[in-house]
Amino acid sequence: QKEVEQDPGPLSVPEGAIVSLNCTYSNSAFQYFMWYRQYSRKGPELLMYTYSSGNKEDGRFTAQVDKSSKYISLFIRDSQPSDSATYLCAMSAREGFQKLVFGTGTRLLVSP
Amino acid sequence: DAMVIQNPRYQVTQFGKPVTLSCSQTLNHNVMYWYQQKSSQAPKLLFHYYDKDFNNEADTPDNFQSRRPNTSFCFLDIRSPGLGDAAMYLCATSNRPFETQYFGPGTRLLVL
């Protein structure tokens, strides 16, 4: 079993839809959770960074962490064609101690 | 703008011919990382430098080496590229080990 599981997609939605992207994990020691966006043939770009459980909002993006279920989500409101990319979740146990563990990414396609 | 720069963006090499990929950063971060990412897979950490201290991942092949001559630059050397080494190579930086990482655009390596 992988430490981090992520559905590869593709997830296809119409412009304006609310998108939900998810990861599950098995290591209960993970405390730091990140979402990266990666456009085709480009490097990952940090979108959201959260610590422990709870929600964090930044514009159209909301990151949610449920440590009791070992489940994290990224919600995108009013999705745009420019949101079409691969979204990678990443997590680590403690800053300075554990390396980032990435999911394989979910490919999102937003059609006009 | 502070950033992570990778050169070249695309590199074609021949089977067995040594190749060097370059990364530079203007963020003045202490840590630099090299990742390998194959199609539809998660980035795989190869090694990282914390200042001048080199940290190799246990499963990184000996074929991969790295140099960090100063804070701003880090190089990835592949001594004898095989067909299986064709991938996107990502450089990332962080202020301290495994704090939030910022990625460069990547170098796509093709081995003929």
Coordinates of all heavy atoms in Angstrom, one line a residue, chain A residues 16-74:
Chain A
G16 N -16.9 26.8 -14.3 CA -17.8 27.3 -13.3 C -18.1 26.3 -12.3 O -18.7 26.6 -11.2
A17 N -17.8 25.0 -12.5 CA -18.1 24.0 -11.6 C -17.3 24.0 -10.3 O -16.2 24.6 -10.3 CB -17.9 22.6 -12.2
I18 N -17.7 23.4 -9.3 CA -16.9 23.3 -8.0 C -16.2 21.9 -8.2 O -16.8 20.9 -8.4 CB -17.8 23.3 -6.8 CG1 -18.5 24.6 -6.6 CG2 -16.9 23.0 -5.5 CD1 -19.4 24.7 -5.4
V19 N -14.9 22.0 -8.0 CA -14.1 20.8 -8.1 C -13.6 20.3 -6.8 O -13.2 21.1 -5.9 CB -12.8 21.1 -9.0 CG1 -11.9 19.9 -9.0 CG2 -13.2 21.5 -10.4
S20 N -13.6 19.0 -6.6 CA -13.1 18.4 -5.3 C -12.0 17.4 -5.7 O -12.3 16.5 -6.4 CB -14.3 17.7 -4.6 OG -13.8 17.0 -3.5
L21 N -10.8 17.7 -5.1 CA -9.7 16.8 -5.3 C -9.3 16.2 -4.0 O -9.3 16.9 -3.0 CB -8.5 17.6 -6.0 CG -8.8 18.3 -7.3 CD1 -7.7 19.3 -7.6 CD2 -9.0 17.3 -8.4
N22 N -8.9 15.0 -4.0 CA -8.7 14.3 -2.7 C -7.5 13.4 -2.6 O -7.0 12.9 -3.7 CB -9.9 13.4 -2.4 CG -11.3 14.1 -2.6 OD1 -11.6 15.1 -1.9 ND2 -12.0 13.7 -3.6
C23 N -7.0 13.3 -1.4 CA -5.9 12.3 -1.2 C -6.2 11.6 0.1 O -6.7 12.2 1.1 CB -4.5 13.0 -1.1 SG -3.9 13.6 -2.6
T24 N -5.8 10.3 0.2 CA -5.9 9.6 1.5 C -4.4 9.2 1.8 O -3.6 9.1 0.9 CB -6.7 8.3 1.4 OG1 -6.3 7.5 0.3 CG2 -8.2 8.7 1.1
Y25 N -4.2 9.0 3.0 CA -2.8 8.6 3.5 C -2.9 7.6 4.6 O -3.9 7.4 5.3 CB -2.0 9.8 3.8 CG -2.6 10.6 5.0 CD1 -2.1 10.4 6.3 CD2 -3.5 11.6 4.8 CE1 -2.6 11.2 7.4 CE2 -4.0 12.4 5.8 CZ -3.5 12.2 7.1 OH -4.0 12.9 8.2
S26 N -1.8 6.9 4.8 CA -1.8 5.9 5.8 C -0.9 6.2 7.1 O -1.1 5.6 8.1 CB -1.3 4.6 5.2 OG 0.0 4.8 4.7
N27 N 0.0 7.2 6.9 CA 0.9 7.5 8.0 C 0.3 8.5 8.9 O 0.2 9.7 8.6 CB 2.2 8.0 7.4 CG 3.3 8.2 8.5 OD1 3.0 8.2 9.7 ND2 4.5 8.4 8.0
S28 N -0.1 8.1 10.1 CA -0.8 9.0 11.1 C 0.2 10.1 11.6 O -0.3 11.1 12.2 CB -1.4 8.3 12.2 OG -0.4 7.5 12.9
A29 N 1.4 10.0 11.3 CA 2.4 11.0 11.8 C 2.4 12.3 10.9 O 3.0 13.3 11.2 CB 3.8 10.4 11.8
F30 N 1.8 12.2 9.7 CA 1.8 13.3 8.8 C 1.1 14.5 9.5 O 0.0 14.3 10.0 CB 1.1 13.0 7.5 CG 2.0 12.2 6.5 CD1 1.4 11.2 5.7 CD2 3.3 12.3 6.5 CE1 2.1 10.4 4.9 CE2 4.1 11.5 5.6 CZ 3.5 10.6 4.8
Q31 N 1.7 15.7 9.4 CA 1.1 16.9 10.0 C 1.1 18.1 9.1 O 0.3 19.0 9.3 CB 1.9 17.3 11.3 CG 2.0 16.2 12.4 CD 2.7 16.8 13.6 OE1 2.2 17.8 14.2 NE2 3.8 16.2 13.9
Y32 N 1.9 18.0 8.1 CA 2.0 19.1 7.1 C 1.5 18.7 5.8 O 1.9 17.7 5.3 CB 3.5 19.6 7.0 CG 4.0 20.1 8.3 CD1 4.6 19.3 9.2 CD2 3.8 21.5 8.7 CE1 5.1 19.7 10.5 CE2 4.3 21.9 9.9 CZ 4.9 21.1 10.8 OH 5.4 21.5 12.0
F33 N 0.6 19.5 5.2 CA -0.1 19.0 4.0 C -0.1 20.2 3.0 O -0.3 21.3 3.3 CB -1.6 18.7 4.3 CG -1.7 17.6 5.4 CD1 -1.8 18.0 6.7 CD2 -1.6 16.3 5.1 CE1 -1.9 17.0 7.7 CE2 -1.7 15.3 6.0 CZ -1.8 15.7 7.4
M34 N 0.3 19.8 1.8 CA 0.4 20.8 0.7 C -0.3 20.3 -0.5 O -0.5 19.1 -0.8 CB 1.9 20.9 0.4 CG 2.7 21.7 1.4 SD 4.3 20.9 1.8 CE 3.8 19.7 3.0
W35 N -0.7 21.3 -1.3 CA -1.2 21.0 -2.7 C -0.4 21.8 -3.7 O -0.1 23.0 -3.5 CB -2.7 21.4 -2.8 CG -3.6 20.5 -2.1 CD1 -4.1 20.6 -0.9 CD2 -4.2 19.3 -2.7 NE1 -5.0 19.5 -0.6 CE2 -5.0 18.7 -1.7 CE3 -4.0 18.6 -3.9 CZ2 -5.7 17.5 -1.9 CZ3 -4.7 17.5 -4.1 CH2 -5.5 16.9 -3.1
Y36 N 0.1 21.1 -4.7 CA 0.8 21.7 -5.8 C 0.0 21.6 -7.1 O -0.6 20.6 -7.3 CB 2.2 21.0 -5.9 CG 3.2 21.3 -4.9 CD1 3.3 20.6 -3.7 CD2 4.2 22.3 -5.1 CE1 4.3 20.9 -2.7 CE2 5.2 22.6 -4.2 CZ 5.2 21.9 -3.0 OH 6.2 22.2 -2.1
R37 N 0.2 22.6 -7.9 CA -0.4 22.5 -9.2 C 0.7 22.4 -10.2 O 1.7 23.1 -10.1 CB -1.2 23.8 -9.5 CG -1.8 23.9 -10.9 CD -2.7 25.1 -11.0 NE -1.9 26.4 -10.8 CZ -2.5 27.6 -10.6 NH1 -3.8 27.7 -10.5 NH2 -1.7 28.6 -10.5
Q38 N 0.6 21.5 -11.2 CA 1.6 21.3 -12.2 C 1.0 21.3 -13.6 O 0.2 20.4 -13.9 CB 2.3 19.9 -11.9 CG 3.5 19.7 -12.8 CD 4.3 18.5 -12.5 OE1 3.8 17.6 -11.9 NE2 5.6 18.5 -12.8
Y39 N 1.3 22.3 -14.3 CA 0.9 22.4 -15.7 C 1.8 21.5 -16.5 O 3.0 21.1 -16.1 CB 1.0 23.8 -16.2 CG 0.0 24.8 -15.7 CD1 0.4 25.8 -14.8 CD2 -1.4 24.6 -15.9 CE1 -0.6 26.7 -14.3 CE2 -2.3 25.5 -15.4 CZ -1.9 26.5 -14.6 OH -2.8 27.3 -14.0
S40 N 1.3 21.1 -17.7 CA 2.0 20.1 -18.5 C 3.4 20.6 -18.8 O 3.6 21.7 -19.2 CB 1.2 19.9 -19.8 OG 1.9 19.0 -20.6
R41 N 4.4 19.7 -18.6 CA 5.8 20.0 -18.9 C 6.4 21.2 -18.1 O 7.3 21.9 -18.5 CB 6.0 20.2 -20.4 CG 5.6 19.0 -21.2 CD 5.8 19.2 -22.7 NE 5.3 18.0 -23.4 CZ 6.0 16.9 -23.6 NH1 7.2 16.8 -23.1 NH2 5.5 15.9 -24.3
K42 N 5.8 21.4 -16.9 CA 6.3 22.5 -16.0 C 6.6 21.9 -14.6 O 6.1 20.8 -14.3 CB 5.3 23.7 -15.9 CG 5.0 24.3 -17.2 CD 6.1 25.2 -17.7 CE 5.8 25.9 -19.0 NZ 4.7 26.9 -18.9
G43 N 7.2 22.7 -13.8 CA 7.5 22.3 -12.4 C 6.3 22.5 -11.5 O 5.4 23.3 -11.9
P44 N 6.1 21.8 -10.4 CA 5.0 22.0 -9.5 C 5.1 23.4 -8.9 O 6.1 23.9 -8.5 CB 5.2 20.9 -8.5 CG 6.1 19.9 -9.1 CD 7.0 20.6 -10.0
E45 N 3.9 24.0 -8.7 CA 3.7 25.3 -8.1 C 2.9 25.1 -6.8 O 1.8 24.6 -6.8 CB 3.0 26.2 -9.1 CG 2.6 27.5 -8.6 CD 1.6 28.2 -9.5 OE1 1.1 27.6 -10.4 OE2 1.2 29.4 -9.2
L46 N 3.5 25.6 -5.7 CA 2.7 25.5 -4.4 C 1.5 26.3 -4.4 O 1.5 27.5 -4.7 CB 3.6 25.9 -3.3 CG 3.0 25.8 -1.9 CD1 2.8 24.4 -1.5 CD2 3.9 26.5 -0.9
L47 N 0.3 25.7 -4.1 CA -0.9 26.3 -4.0 C -1.4 26.6 -2.6 O -1.8 27.7 -2.3 CB -2.0 25.5 -4.7 CG -2.3 25.6 -6.2 CD1 -3.4 24.6 -6.6 CD2 -2.6 27.0 -6.6
M48 N -1.3 25.6 -1.8 CA -1.8 25.6 -0.4 C -0.9 24.9 0.5 O -0.4 23.8 0.1 CB -3.3 25.1 -0.3 CG -4.3 25.7 -1.2 SD -4.8 27.4 -0.7 CE -5.9 26.9 0.7
Y49 N -0.8 25.4 1.7 CA 0.0 24.7 2.8 C -0.8 24.8 4.1 O -1.2 25.9 4.5 CB 1.3 25.5 2.9 CG 2.3 25.0 3.9 CD1 3.2 24.0 3.6 CD2 2.3 25.5 5.2 CE1 4.1 23.6 4.5 CE2 3.2 25.0 6.2 CZ 4.1 24.0 5.8 OH 5.0 23.6 6.7
T50 N -1.0 23.6 4.7 CA -1.8 23.6 5.9 C -1.1 22.7 6.9 O -0.4 21.8 6.6 CB -3.2 23.1 5.7 OG1 -3.2 21.8 5.1 CG2 -4.0 24.0 4.9
Y51 N -1.3 23.1 8.2 CA -0.8 22.3 9.3 C -1.9 21.7 10.1 O -2.9 22.4 10.4 CB 0.1 23.2 10.2 CG 0.5 22.5 11.5 CD1 1.4 21.5 11.5 CD2 -0.1 22.9 12.7 CE1 1.8 20.9 12.7 CE2 0.3 22.3 13.9 CZ 1.2 21.3 13.9 OH 1.6 20.7 15.0
S52 N -1.8 20.4 10.3 CA -2.7 19.6 11.1 C -4.1 19.7 10.5 O -4.3 19.8 9.3 CB -2.7 20.2 12.6 OG -3.4 19.2 13.4
S53 N -5.2 19.6 11.3 CA -6.5 19.5 10.8 C -7.1 20.9 10.6 O -6.7 21.9 11.1 CB -7.4 18.7 11.7 OG -7.1 17.3 11.7
G54 N -8.2 20.9 9.8 CA -8.9 22.2 9.6 C -9.0 22.6 8.2 O -8.6 21.9 7.3
N55 N -9.5 23.8 8.0 CA -9.7 24.4 6.6 C -8.8 25.6 6.5 O -8.5 26.3 7.4 CB -11.1 24.8 6.4 CG -12.1 23.7 6.4 OD1 -11.7 22.5 6.5 ND2 -13.4 24.0 6.2
K56 N -8.4 25.8 5.2 CA -7.7 27.0 4.9 C -8.2 27.5 3.5 O -8.3 26.7 2.6 CB -6.2 26.8 4.8 CG -5.3 28.0 4.6 CD -3.9 27.7 4.7 CE -3.0 28.9 4.5 NZ -1.6 28.6 4.6
E57 N -8.5 28.8 3.4 CA -9.0 29.3 2.2 C -8.1 30.4 1.6 O -7.5 31.2 2.3 CB -10.4 30.0 2.5 CG -11.2 30.4 1.3 CD -12.6 30.8 1.6 OE1 -13.2 30.3 2.5 OE2 -13.1 31.8 1.0
D58 N -8.0 30.3 0.3 CA -7.2 31.3 -0.4 C -7.9 31.6 -1.8 O -7.7 30.8 -2.7 CB -5.8 30.9 -0.6 CG -4.9 31.9 -1.3 OD1 -5.4 33.0 -1.5 OD2 -3.7 31.6 -1.5
G59 N -8.7 32.7 -1.8 CA -9.4 33.0 -3.1 C -10.4 31.9 -3.4 O -11.2 31.5 -2.6
R60 N -10.2 31.3 -4.6 CA -11.2 30.3 -5.0 C -10.8 28.9 -4.5 O -11.5 27.9 -4.7 CB -11.2 30.2 -6.6 CG -11.7 31.5 -7.2 CD -11.9 31.3 -8.8 NE -10.6 31.1 -9.4 CZ -10.2 30.0 -10.0 NH1 -11.0 28.9 -10.0 NH2 -9.0 29.9 -10.6
F61 N -9.7 28.8 -3.8 CA -9.2 27.5 -3.3 C -9.4 27.3 -1.8 O -9.2 28.2 -1.0 CB -7.7 27.4 -3.6 CG -7.4 27.4 -5.1 CD1 -7.1 28.6 -5.7 CD2 -7.3 26.3 -5.9 CE1 -6.8 28.7 -7.1 CE2 -7.0 26.3 -7.2 CZ -6.8 27.6 -7.8
T62 N -9.8 26.1 -1.4 CA -10.0 25.8 0.0 C -9.3 24.4 0.2 O -9.7 23.5 -0.5 CB -11.5 25.7 0.4 OG1 -12.1 27.0 0.2 CG2 -11.6 25.3 1.9
A63 N -8.4 24.4 1.2 CA -7.8 23.1 1.5 C -8.4 22.6 2.8 O -8.6 23.4 3.8 CB -6.3 23.3 1.7
Q64 N -8.7 21.3 2.9 CA -9.3 20.8 4.1 C -8.6 19.5 4.5 O -8.2 18.7 3.7 CB -10.8 20.4 3.7 CG -11.7 20.1 4.8 CD -13.1 20.0 4.3 OE1 -13.5 18.9 3.7 NE2 -13.9 21.0 4.5
V65 N -8.3 19.4 5.8 CA -7.6 18.3 6.3 C -8.4 17.6 7.4 O -8.9 18.3 8.3 CB -6.2 18.7 6.9 CG1 -5.6 17.5 7.6 CG2 -5.3 19.3 5.8
D66 N -8.6 16.3 7.3 CA -9.3 15.5 8.3 C -8.4 14.4 8.8 O -8.3 13.4 8.1 CB -10.6 14.9 7.7 CG -11.4 14.1 8.8 OD1 -10.9 13.9 9.9 OD2 -12.6 13.8 8.5
K67 N -7.6 14.7 9.8 CA -6.6 13.7 10.3 C -7.3 12.5 10.8 O -6.7 11.4 10.8 CB -5.7 14.4 11.3 CG -4.8 15.4 10.7 CD -3.8 15.9 11.7 CE -2.8 14.9 12.0 NZ -1.8 15.3 13.0
S68 N -8.5 12.6 11.4 CA -9.1 11.4 12.0 C -9.4 10.4 10.9 O -9.3 9.2 11.1 CB -10.4 11.8 12.7 OG -11.3 12.3 11.8
S69 N -9.7 10.9 9.7 CA -10.0 10.0 8.5 C -8.8 9.8 7.6 O -8.9 9.1 6.6 CB -11.1 10.5 7.7 OG -12.3 10.7 8.5
K70 N -7.7 10.5 7.9 CA -6.5 10.5 7.0 C -6.9 10.8 5.6 O -6.6 10.1 4.6 CB -5.8 9.1 7.1 CG -5.3 8.8 8.5 CD -4.4 7.6 8.4 CE -3.9 7.1 9.8 NZ -4.9 6.6 10.6
Y71 N -7.5 12.0 5.5 CA -8.1 12.4 4.2 C -7.9 13.9 4.0 O -8.2 14.7 5.0 CB -9.6 12.0 4.3 CG -10.4 12.2 3.0 CD1 -10.5 11.1 2.1 CD2 -11.1 13.4 2.7 CE1 -11.2 11.2 1.0 CE2 -11.9 13.5 1.6 CZ -11.9 12.4 0.7 OH -12.7 12.5 -0.4
I72 N -7.4 14.3 2.9 CA -7.3 15.7 2.6 C -8.0 16.1 1.3 O -8.1 15.2 0.4 CB -5.8 16.2 2.6 CG1 -5.1 15.7 1.4 CG2 -5.1 15.9 3.9 CD1 -3.7 16.4 1.3
S73 N -8.5 17.3 1.2 CA -9.2 17.7 0.0 C -8.7 19.1 -0.4 O -8.3 19.9 0.4 CB -10.7 17.8 0.3 OG -11.2 16.5 0.7
L74 N -8.9 19.3 -1.7 CA -8.7 20.7 -2.3 C -10.0 21.0 -3.1 O -10.3 20.2 -4.0 CB -7.5 20.8 -3.2 CG -7.3 22.1 -3.9 CD1 -6.9 23.2 -2.8 CD2 -6.2 22.0 -5.0

